[in-house]
Amino acid sequence: MRLIKAVLLLSSAMTVMAGAVISPALPEISRHFSADNANVLTKLILTMPALTIALCAPLAGHLSDLFGRKKLLVYSLFLYGLSGFSGFFLDDLFLLLASRAVLGISVGGIMSAATALVGDLFSGNERAEFIGLQSGFMYIGGIVLVLLGGFLAEISWKAPFLAYLSAFAVFILAIIGLSKPNHGSNSSEMVDLEKSLRVPYLAVGLIYLLVFLLMIFYYMVLVQLPFILQDRFGVGSAVTGLAISVSAFAGSLSSLSYPLIKRRLSYKLIYVLGFVFVSAGYVLIGNSFGFVVILAGLALAGFGNGMLMPNGSFWLMEVAPEHIRGKAVGGFTGMIFLGQFLSPILMAPFVSLFSLNGAFLVSALFLATVAISIAMLPMSRIVSSRLSGSLDKNNVR
């Protein structure tokens, strides 16, 4: 079981690395391709994988239900290493974007399979603890990878692509140690009951919507912040990576604390507090009174994000019947990365109208509105229990 947990955690880190390790190099990549007048396109190098993940993850989740999680995870890890590392050799912007698109297909498979495996292997408090650990590990991985990307970007804008070679080590571990979850342990009556359960589509839809919005604004830190730091404060890629890692570190603290938070707060209240933290952080970043103030804003926003991500994942595991869990997780993964892909596109008009700093302030206002809206939602009407006693309705109000 320890090796299986290690594979799941390392696979989760691969999904973070898809964007984090490249983020500090964005200004250098933009300057390298400046002759192509492709400022927006260079930002899509970071978010292009998100488009293909959004398109392919629901299909990947369905395939994991049909053919098994292990096969999907192993094949996806191999494709991830191959497509990610190929960026080291490419010096054409459009070929680079194409390789990033293929990378996205692999990430969709990895995340759908790994998350569904968590739902298959764990339940109850153990599931909450592992999801919190998984989210915390992803944030800690984000710290290491952003720092690594910053230092590698000081050598060359191509150097960060070498980090994708690590996927082949996880690929080997998955082949050796990953065993198929034992679905046969459930009685035939329980399996039939699972298949007859009604899926609470309103709850699933709300989970999808909130993670979509979260990702649009979360990715502002990775896509827009490097330009604020380098234009306003003149810092290099290494310091930019260090600054972004502050947000990831704060997120790891709240994610690792999620089991404790969940025992005391409802899903609804965690969402409200999480969006309030992110909004407050973006107010500090948008005002940019100084480098230290920006770091404080990053810490606040990161702490809020660290609460929100495991909250959506855990809630989805609670409401999705096992026989459609892969499909449900695939849709969740798709919404995460659709938000990431659309982030620079949707933010571009606000950056043009209000500047980079103004875009963060407008985002803070919108996020505060989201928090207020969630607080007013009648959650007991949205959530319906799949099994009598399987969900405590007082826990979601």
Side-chain angles (χ1 to χ4, degrees), residues 63 101 114 145 150 166 219-220 236 256 324 329 373 394:
L63 291 176
L145 292 167
S166 60
Y219 242 56
M220 288 182 68
L256 291 172
I324 64 158
V329 169
S373 300
N394 292 326

Side-chain angles (χ1 to χ4, degrees), residues 75-92:
Y75 292 141
S76 297
L77 283 167
F78 182 80
L79 182 61
Y80 180 98
L82 195 65
S83 57
F85 177 53
S86 68
F88 181 78
F89 301 98
L90 300 175
D91 200 24
D92 179 89

Side-chain angles (χ1 to χ4, degrees), residues 95-296:
L95 287 178
L96 188 57
L97 288 171
S99 73
R100 302 292 289 174
V102 176
L103 180 71
I105 296 174
S106 65
V107 173
I110 292 171
M111 194 165 183
S112 295
T115 306
L117 276 167
V118 173
D120 295 341
L121 292 167
F122 307 103
S123 61
N125 290 333
E126 189 181 14
R127 181 186 291 166
E129 290 174 2
F130 191 83
I131 287 176
L133 177 63
Q134 182 185 39
S135 297
F137 191 85
M138 291 170 71
Y139 277 105
I140 293 171
I143 297 171
V144 175
L145 292 167
V146 168
L147 290 173
L148 176 63
F151 286 114
L152 289 174
E154 295 284 352
I155 301 172
S156 164
W157 69 266
K158 289 188 173 185
F161 291 95
L162 293 171
Y164 293 106
L165 288 171
S166 60
F168 292 111
V170 185
F171 165 74
I172 293 171
L173 286 175
I175 292 175
I176 295 172
L178 193 61
S179 60
K180 184 178 179 182
N182 182 18
H183 297 292
S185 60
N186 291 336
S187 66
S188 59
E189 292 84 0
M190 189 64 183
V191 172
D192 291 338
L193 180 58
E194 277 280 328
K195 291 184 177 181
S196 68
L197 295 173
R198 183 171 63 87
V199 179
Y201 290 106
L202 282 177
V204 173
L206 179 61
I207 293 168
Y208 284 5
L209 174 62
L210 292 178
V211 79
F212 173 71
L213 292 175
L214 173 63
M215 285 298 106
I216 288 176
F217 295 102
Y218 169 74
Y219 242 56
M220 288 182 68
V221 170
L222 294 177
V223 177
Q224 311 295 349
L225 187 69
F227 294 91
I228 290 180
L229 294 178
Q230 296 195 21
D231 292 345
R232 186 174 176 85
F233 300 102
V235 301
S237 296
V239 177
T240 299
L242 182 62
I244 294 174
S245 70
V246 170
S247 177
F249 178 71
S252 70
L253 293 179
S254 55
S255 289
L256 291 172
S257 302
Y258 179 76
L260 297 175
I261 296 171
K262 187 67 194 72
R263 290 191 191 109
R264 292 165 174 78
L265 303 177
S266 66
Y267 292 116
K268 175 179 177 177
L269 189 52
I270 292 173
Y271 271 126
V272 172
L273 291 176
F275 279 109
V276 166
F277 275 120
V278 179
S279 177
Y282 281 14
V283 168
L284 294 180
I285 295 172
N287 282 294
S288 292
F289 294 121
F291 188 71
V292 174
V293 174
I294 288 182
L295 293 180

